[in-house]
Amino acid sequence: STAFNPDCKNIRELVYSAARLYPERPAFKVKDKGEIKTVTFTQVIENTEALGTELLAQGYTDCAMGIIGDNSYPWYQCHLAIVCGGNISVPFDKGFTAEELESAIIRSRIRVLFYGHKSEALVEEVKARGNINVERFVRITGDDNGFDELIAAGKERIAAGSQLHEDYKNTVIDEHKLAVLLFTSGTTSNSKAVMLSQFNIASNTIDMYQYEAFSYEDVNMAFLPCHHSFGLGAVTVFFGIGACSVFCDGLKYISKNL
């Protein structure tokens, strides 16, 4: 039967609990150059710790980091590495104009921006305007991306016995502190920033299990955007119950992807 830990108070507890219960089950299935590859729950934890350790080694701790781009495994993996290290994840709408993205970056005070390759032109446009103070830009999809490089560097550091790995894993999570900053779509004015804590998200996830019959055999086609609470929450709900999430190529491709 499907199991979960009802006592999880934060996202890290939820994620690690799922990995203990379903270590070798597929957490994500991703398309890579036409080939379907599986990422297990154990691999997600290993990559979370590698990416988180490397970010910590580079001085990114107790800070906000942004993510923009299409839904993807690297998108969600960055989000997990950020929040499991007690940092603030700031998902941006991939449909933002340069002005909107610039405003959101300035207001959220992010130090790092992870971006998908399809958002590269937008990010470059915002950089060229010269008004933002982002220290590090990391492309997370496409060939020769920085996401894979950071994870590889983190795994090397962990294999060498770096104390930073233990520091990252033992980061104290204050589940009531700001953990995720979501921007609403600003249809009439500047987009508003919505502040969520890890407890908000973890408790909502546990509540979902009480009301709906989820199974670890379910497959979540995550086409709702992860920069919205519903899209981000759905991936977390399915992850926490040991189910697999996949990412479709777009709304018009859903039946083909099925």
Side-chain angles (χ1 to χ4, degrees), residues 54 105 117 153 161-162 176:
E54 189 57 28
I105 287 173
H117 66 282
S162 172
H176 297 293

Side-chain angles (χ1 to χ4, degrees), residues 131-244:
N131 299 321
I132 58 173
N133 291 313
V134 177
E135 298 165 32
R136 183 84 192 267
F137 294 88
V138 182
R139 183 166 52 78
I140 60 174
T141 57
D143 293 334
D144 301 321
N145 62 71
F147 171 78
D148 291 336
E149 288 174 15
L150 284 173
I151 287 180
K155 284 183 175 175
E156 275 185 36
R157 212 177 276 279
I158 290 169
S162 172
Q163 176 59 38
L164 290 170
H165 180 216
E166 293 305 313
D167 293 345
Y168 176 78
K169 287 196 296 181
N170 295 323
T171 302
V172 176
I173 303 288
D174 179 346
E175 57 258 28
H176 297 293
K177 264 178 62 177
L178 172 63
V180 179
L181 194 62
L182 291 172
F183 284 88
T184 62
S185 49
T187 45
T188 53
S189 61
N190 261 355
S191 56
K192 308 291 190 295
V194 178
M195 300 188 292
L196 298 174
S197 69
Q198 292 212 26
F199 183 76
N200 288 151
I201 294 165
S203 60
N204 185 60
T205 301
I206 299 297
D207 287 349
M208 286 291 292
Y209 302 149
Q210 319 284 358
Y211 284 94
E212 291 291 336
F214 289 96
S215 164
Y216 63 81
E217 295 180 320
D218 289 340
V219 177
N220 167 40
M221 182 171 277
F223 64 85
L224 293 173
C226 283
H227 60 261
H228 287 170
S229 59
F230 204 3
L232 185 59
V235 179
T236 305
V237 164
F238 282 94
F239 190 98
I241 206 74
C244 179

Side-chain angles (χ1 to χ4, degrees), residues 14-211:
L14 191 75
V15 165
Y16 275 75
S17 173
R20 279 192 296 273
L21 289 165
Y22 307 101
E24 298 311 314
R25 285 197 62 80
F28 297 96
K29 287 187 179 176
V30 296
K31 251 204 306 200
D32 182 18
K33 297 186 173 81
E35 186 185 344
I36 305 294
K37 294 187 175 176
T38 295
V39 185
T40 67
F41 281 83
T42 296
Q43 288 172 318
V44 171
I45 295 299
E46 289 171 352
N47 290 341
T48 297
E49 292 181 4
L51 182 53
T53 298
E54 189 57 28
L55 289 169
L56 183 58
Q58 295 184 15
Y60 299 112
T61 180
D62 199 22
C63 67
M65 300 184 230
I67 318 171
I68 187 168
D70 290 343
N71 284 8
S72 66
Y73 161 64
W75 194 111
Y76 192 74
Q77 182 65 82
C78 289
H79 169 71
L80 284 186
I82 293 167
V83 296
C84 288
N87 296 296
I88 301 164
S89 175
V90 188
F92 296 119
D93 189 333
K94 64 180 182 180
F96 271 166
T97 63
E99 292 80 6
E100 288 168 333
L101 180 57
E102 178 185 87
S103 168
I105 287 173
I106 291 168
R107 285 185 286 152
S108 59
R109 300 175 185 171
I110 60 168
R111 291 179 61 196
V112 179
L113 179 60
F114 297 101
Y115 64 92
H117 66 282
K118 290 183 184 175
S119 297
E120 188 158 25
L122 173 63
V123 170
E124 290 299 332
E125 186 181 346
V126 173
K127 278 166 72 174
R129 292 162 69 96
N131 299 321
I132 58 173
N133 291 313
V134 177
E135 298 165 32
R136 183 84 192 267
F137 294 88
V138 182
R139 183 166 52 78
I140 60 174
T141 57
D143 293 334
D144 301 321
N145 62 71
F147 171 78
D148 291 336
E149 288 174 15
L150 284 173
I151 287 180
K155 284 183 175 175
E156 275 185 36
R157 212 177 276 279
I158 290 169
S162 172
Q163 176 59 38
L164 290 170
H165 180 216
E166 293 305 313
D167 293 345
Y168 176 78
K169 287 196 296 181
N170 295 323
T171 302
V172 176
I173 303 288
D174 179 346
E175 57 258 28
H176 297 293
K177 264 178 62 177
L178 172 63
V180 179
L181 194 62
L182 291 172
F183 284 88
T184 62
S185 49
T187 45
T188 53
S189 61
N190 261 355
S191 56
K192 308 291 190 295
V194 178
M195 300 188 292
L196 298 174
S197 69
Q198 292 212 26
F199 183 76
N200 288 151
I201 294 165
S203 60
N204 185 60
T205 301
I206 299 297
D207 287 349
M208 286 291 292
Y209 302 149
Q210 319 284 358
Y211 284 94

